[in-house]
Amino acid sequence: MALRRWLMLRSAREAISPYVPSRFAVAARSEYWRGRLIECWIRGQSLRDPLTGLWNRRHFLEAAVKEVELAARHALPLALGMADIDHFKAVNDNYGHLAGDEVLRRIASLFQKTLRGTDIVARFGGEEFVLLFPHSTGRDAAMTLERVRRICADTEILYGDQRIRVTVSFGVSELQEKRGRRARWTSIP
Protein backbone atom coordinates (compact mmCIF):
# COMPACT_ATOMS: atom_id res chain seq x y z
CA MET A 1 0.00 0.00 0.00
CA ALA A 2 2.76 2.45 0.93
CA LEU A 3 4.71 1.52 -2.23
CA ARG A 4 1.64 2.12 -4.40
CA ARG A 5 1.06 5.50 -2.76
CA TRP A 6 4.73 6.40 -3.25
CA LEU A 7 4.57 5.43 -6.94
CA MET A 8 1.40 7.49 -7.43
CA LEU A 9 3.03 10.49 -5.76
CA ARG A 10 6.18 10.02 -7.86
CA SER A 11 4.25 9.93 -11.13
CA ALA A 12 2.22 12.96 -10.06
CA ARG A 13 5.38 14.86 -9.17
CA GLU A 14 6.99 14.02 -12.49
CA ALA A 15 3.89 15.18 -14.35
CA ILE A 16 3.94 18.58 -12.68
CA SER A 17 7.71 18.97 -12.25
CA PRO A 18 7.98 21.90 -14.72
CA TYR A 19 5.60 23.86 -12.48
CA VAL A 20 7.05 22.92 -9.09
CA PRO A 21 10.51 24.04 -8.00
CA SER A 22 11.45 20.70 -6.43
CA ARG A 23 10.12 17.27 -5.62
CA PHE A 24 10.63 18.05 -1.96
CA ALA A 25 8.11 20.89 -2.22
CA VAL A 26 5.39 18.48 -3.41
CA ALA A 27 6.10 16.03 -0.60
CA ALA A 28 6.18 18.82 1.97
CA ARG A 29 2.96 20.30 0.60
CA SER A 30 1.15 16.94 0.67
CA GLU A 31 2.39 16.29 4.22
CA TYR A 32 1.19 19.75 5.22
CA TRP A 33 -2.31 19.13 3.84
CA ARG A 34 -2.45 15.66 5.35
CA GLY A 35 -1.59 17.21 8.71
CA ARG A 36 -4.23 19.91 8.24
CA LEU A 37 -6.87 17.28 7.39
CA ILE A 38 -6.00 15.26 10.47
CA GLU A 39 -6.09 18.42 12.59
CA CYS A 40 -9.54 19.34 11.25
CA TRP A 41 -10.83 15.81 11.84
CA ILE A 42 -9.54 15.80 15.43
CA ARG A 43 -11.07 19.21 16.11
CA GLY A 44 -14.39 18.04 14.69
CA GLN A 45 -14.29 14.95 16.87
CA SER A 46 -13.51 17.02 19.96
CA LEU A 47 -16.66 19.11 19.42
CA ARG A 48 -19.06 16.19 19.00
CA ASP A 49 -20.68 13.93 21.56
CA PRO A 50 -19.42 10.44 20.67
CA LEU A 51 -22.67 8.67 21.56
CA THR A 52 -25.24 10.86 19.82
CA GLY A 53 -23.18 12.69 17.20
CA LEU A 54 -24.65 16.00 18.40
CA TRP A 55 -22.51 18.98 19.34
CA ASN A 56 -21.07 18.73 22.84
CA ARG A 57 -21.38 21.25 25.66
CA ARG A 58 -18.08 22.98 24.86
CA HIS A 59 -19.04 23.68 21.25
CA PHE A 60 -22.52 24.77 22.27
CA LEU A 61 -21.19 27.30 24.78
CA GLU A 62 -18.79 28.74 22.18
CA ALA A 63 -21.56 28.99 19.57
CA ALA A 64 -24.05 30.42 22.08
CA VAL A 65 -21.73 33.29 23.02
CA LYS A 66 -21.42 34.25 19.34
CA GLU A 67 -25.17 33.96 18.73
CA VAL A 68 -26.05 36.02 21.81
CA GLU A 69 -23.61 38.76 20.80
CA LEU A 70 -25.00 38.76 17.24
CA ALA A 71 -28.62 38.85 18.43
CA ALA A 72 -27.94 41.65 20.92
CA ARG A 73 -25.95 43.72 18.43
CA HIS A 74 -28.55 43.50 15.64
CA ALA A 75 -31.69 43.24 17.82
CA LEU A 76 -32.49 39.79 16.40
CA PRO A 77 -34.73 37.30 18.18
CA LEU A 78 -33.01 34.39 19.89
CA ALA A 79 -34.53 31.55 21.89
CA LEU A 80 -32.96 28.93 24.11
CA GLY A 81 -34.45 25.55 24.96
CA MET A 82 -33.56 22.81 27.43
CA ALA A 83 -34.75 19.24 27.02
CA ASP A 84 -34.72 16.37 29.49
CA ILE A 85 -35.77 12.78 28.86
CA ASP A 86 -38.35 11.98 31.53
CA HIS A 87 -37.62 9.09 33.92
CA PHE A 88 -34.44 8.16 32.06
CA LYS A 89 -33.01 6.38 35.10
CA ALA A 90 -35.96 3.98 34.92
CA VAL A 91 -35.07 3.21 31.28
CA ASN A 92 -31.51 2.32 32.31
CA ASP A 93 -32.74 0.32 35.32
CA ASN A 94 -35.45 -1.61 33.44
CA TYR A 95 -33.83 -2.17 30.04
CA GLY A 96 -30.10 -1.72 30.69
CA HIS A 97 -27.57 0.97 29.85
CA LEU A 98 -27.15 -0.15 26.24
CA ALA A 99 -30.87 0.37 25.73
CA GLY A 100 -30.51 3.79 27.38
CA ASP A 101 -27.74 4.60 24.91
CA GLU A 102 -30.05 3.64 22.03
CA VAL A 103 -32.77 5.90 23.45
CA LEU A 104 -30.30 8.81 23.56
CA ARG A 105 -29.23 8.15 19.97
CA ARG A 106 -32.83 8.00 18.71
CA ILE A 107 -33.92 11.16 20.55
CA ALA A 108 -30.84 12.98 19.19
CA SER A 109 -31.74 11.76 15.70
CA LEU A 110 -35.29 13.07 16.10
CA PHE A 111 -33.92 16.47 17.09
CA GLN A 112 -31.67 16.55 14.02
CA LYS A 113 -34.47 15.54 11.66
CA THR A 114 -37.06 17.91 13.11
CA LEU A 115 -35.12 21.12 13.75
CA ARG A 116 -33.88 23.62 11.19
CA GLY A 117 -30.31 23.48 9.94
CA THR A 118 -29.60 26.83 11.60
CA ASP A 119 -30.75 25.62 15.03
CA ILE A 120 -28.01 24.39 17.33
CA VAL A 121 -28.68 21.29 19.40
CA ALA A 122 -26.17 19.74 21.78
CA ARG A 123 -26.02 17.06 24.40
CA PHE A 124 -25.51 18.98 27.60
CA GLY A 125 -24.97 16.01 29.87
CA GLY A 126 -26.56 12.68 30.70
CA GLU A 127 -30.08 12.81 29.30
CA GLU A 128 -30.17 16.60 28.96
CA PHE A 129 -30.02 18.51 25.70
CA VAL A 130 -29.75 22.23 25.02
CA LEU A 131 -31.11 23.94 21.92
CA LEU A 132 -30.47 27.40 20.49
CA PHE A 133 -32.89 28.92 17.98
CA PRO A 134 -31.34 31.87 16.12
CA HIS A 135 -33.85 34.26 14.52
CA SER A 136 -36.73 32.71 16.50
CA THR A 137 -38.86 34.16 19.25
CA GLY A 138 -39.55 32.19 22.40
CA ARG A 139 -43.09 31.45 21.19
CA ASP A 140 -41.79 30.10 17.86
CA ALA A 141 -39.30 27.90 19.68
CA ALA A 142 -41.99 26.69 22.10
CA MET A 143 -44.22 25.68 19.18
CA THR A 144 -41.32 23.85 17.51
CA LEU A 145 -40.44 22.06 20.74
CA GLU A 146 -44.07 21.07 21.30
CA ARG A 147 -44.01 19.42 17.88
CA VAL A 148 -40.75 17.65 18.80
CA ARG A 149 -42.26 16.58 22.14
CA ARG A 150 -45.25 14.97 20.39
CA ILE A 151 -42.99 13.21 17.87
CA CYS A 152 -40.82 11.83 20.70
CA ALA A 153 -43.88 10.63 22.65
CA ASP A 154 -45.27 8.89 19.55
CA THR A 155 -41.97 7.21 18.67
CA GLU A 156 -41.41 3.62 19.70
CA ILE A 157 -37.73 2.82 20.14
CA LEU A 158 -36.81 -0.77 19.35
CA TYR A 159 -33.96 -2.33 21.25
CA GLY A 160 -33.54 -6.01 20.61
CA ASP A 161 -37.00 -7.47 21.15
CA GLN A 162 -38.04 -4.66 23.50
CA ARG A 163 -40.14 -1.62 22.62
CA ILE A 164 -39.35 1.49 24.64
CA ARG A 165 -41.39 4.69 24.79
CA VAL A 166 -40.11 7.85 26.42
CA THR A 167 -41.33 11.39 26.83
CA VAL A 168 -39.27 14.55 26.79
CA SER A 169 -39.85 17.74 28.79
CA PHE A 170 -38.78 21.13 27.48
CA GLY A 171 -38.22 24.60 28.86
CA VAL A 172 -37.86 27.71 26.69
CA SER A 173 -36.62 31.24 27.23
CA GLU A 174 -35.90 34.11 24.89
CA LEU A 175 -33.36 36.89 24.85
CA GLN A 176 -34.99 40.22 25.72
CA GLU A 177 -33.28 43.37 24.52
CA LYS A 178 -34.00 46.46 26.62
CA ARG A 179 -32.90 49.90 25.43
CA GLY A 180 -29.89 51.11 27.33
CA ARG A 181 -29.74 47.90 29.37
CA ARG A 182 -28.04 44.61 29.03
CA ALA A 183 -29.95 41.83 27.26
CA ARG A 184 -31.45 39.19 29.56
CA TRP A 185 -33.23 35.85 29.26
CA THR A 186 -36.97 35.64 29.95
CA SER A 187 -38.77 32.35 30.51
CA ILE A 188 -41.62 31.43 28.15
CA PRO A 189 -44.62 29.75 29.84
Side-chain angles (χ1 to χ4, degrees), residues 59-84:
H59 175 75
F60 177 83
L61 293 174
E62 290 172 3
V65 166
K66 292 175 186 172
E67 289 295 336
V68 167
E69 289 172 354
L70 183 68
R73 185 178 325 122
H74 299 290
L76 297 170
L78 180 65
L80 175 72
M82 288 292 296
D84 185 75

Side-chain angles (χ1 to χ4, degrees), residues 2-187:
L3 178 63
R4 187 179 337 158
R5 206 174 322 148
W6 181 81
L7 289 172
M8 287 172 47
L9 269 175
R10 190 176 106 190
S11 63
R13 282 187 296 225
E14 288 170 357
I16 61 170
S17 62
Y19 309 103
V20 178
S22 74
R23 291 181 179 175
F24 174 76
V26 171
R29 203 172 294 139
S30 66
E31 284 299 315
Y32 169 79
W33 288 113
R34 185 176 308 136
R36 294 288 295 158
L37 286 172
I38 291 170
E39 181 183 322
C40 288
W41 181 82
I42 290 171
R43 172 130 172 91
Q45 292 298 306
S46 73
L47 299 177
R48 294 272 179 191
D49 174 59
L51 180 63
T52 62
L54 295 176
W55 297 116
N56 63 19
R57 178 193 294 221
R58 177 181 6 159
H59 175 75
F60 177 83
L61 293 174
E62 290 172 3
V65 166
K66 292 175 186 172
E67 289 295 336
V68 167
E69 289 172 354
L70 183 68
R73 185 178 325 122
H74 299 290
L76 297 170
L78 180 65
L80 175 72
M82 288 292 296
D84 185 75
I85 300 174
D86 300 325
H87 311 292
F88 187 72
K89 183 180 181 322
V91 171
N92 279 336
D93 291 345
N94 295 331
Y95 301 102
H97 288 274
L98 294 176
D101 289 350
E102 183 60 24
V103 167
L104 289 170
R105 279 191 289 271
R106 287 296 306 277
I107 296 297
S109 175
L110 289 173
F111 285 151
Q112 288 175 319
K113 290 176 185 172
T114 309
L115 300 176
R116 302 174 303 181
T118 57
D119 298 333
I120 301 168
V121 59
R123 184 169 174 209
F124 205 64
E127 75 277 9
E128 298 166 342
F129 300 88
V130 64
L131 308 100
L132 197 63
F133 299 93
H135 309 288
S136 292
T137 65
R139 298 262 183 242
D140 294 338
M143 289 189 317
T144 300
L145 291 176
E146 175 58 24
R147 189 174 82 244
V148 172
R149 187 195 63 75
R150 277 189 259 119
I151 291 169
C152 290
D154 293 341
T155 300
E156 198 170 65
I157 299 168
L158 299 175
Y159 180 74
D161 61 347
Q162 301 171 355
R163 298 174 187 277
I164 306 169
R165 284 190 179 270
V166 295
T167 57
V168 180
S169 298
F170 293 98
V172 180
S173 70
E174 69 181 346
L175 191 65
Q176 295 287 318
E177 179 68 29
K178 301 288 184 187
R179 280 189 194 265
R181 286 199 224 159
R182 203 170 187 182
R184 64 185 182 96
W185 292 98
T186 304
S187 180

